[in-house]
Amino acid sequence: DEEQRLLDRLRDFEIEKEKAAAENGTLNVSDDDLIEINVGGKIIAAKRGTLCQWEGTRLEALFSGRWDEKLVRDGSGRIFLDLNGDCFQ
């Protein structure tokens, strides 16, 4: 039935997310991890849990840990986002 098909798709999606984390990031993350971000030259520090509190958003996906190895970094190892720092904050 339709409900079971959707549940199967959701399960498959969760498996793909875990696979992406294993390939491109790390599964060993905590909401208490402090993330330093260079946003257009403005340095922002926030806990991972704060950045990921809205599940299903791009922000949550970006800082979930699944893509940590693929994110662009500045010379100090901070995640670099080419955005307006004031607007991001």
Side-chain angles (χ1 to χ4, degrees), residues 9-60:
R9 286 184 66 198
L10 180 60
R11 184 196 69 235
D12 292 345
F13 178 69
E14 291 299 325
I15 291 169
E16 289 299 315
K17 281 176 32 178
E18 292 297 319
K19 218 188 305 184
E23 293 172 5
N24 304 303
T26 180
L27 296 173
N28 188 23
V29 298
S30 167
D31 284 348
D32 291 328
D33 292 344
L34 188 62
I35 308 290
E36 286 191 341
I37 312 162
N38 176 343
V39 186
K42 185 172 193 162
I43 307 304
I44 299 170
K47 288 189 176 183
R48 187 182 302 273
T50 300
L51 296 167
C52 296
Q53 64 185 328
W54 295 287
E55 288 186 27
T57 64
R58 287 182 182 243
L59 200 60
E60 184 265 339

Side-chain angles (χ1 to χ4, degrees), residues 50-81:
T50 300
L51 296 167
C52 296
Q53 64 185 328
W54 295 287
E55 288 186 27
T57 64
R58 287 182 182 243
L59 200 60
E60 184 265 339
L62 185 64
F63 296 108
S64 66
R66 293 190 302 269
W67 303 105
D68 280 359
E69 301 299 320
K70 296 288 186 177
L71 297 174
V72 175
R73 306 269 175 173
D74 69 8
S76 297
R78 298 179 192 100
I79 295 169
F80 177 76
L81 300 177

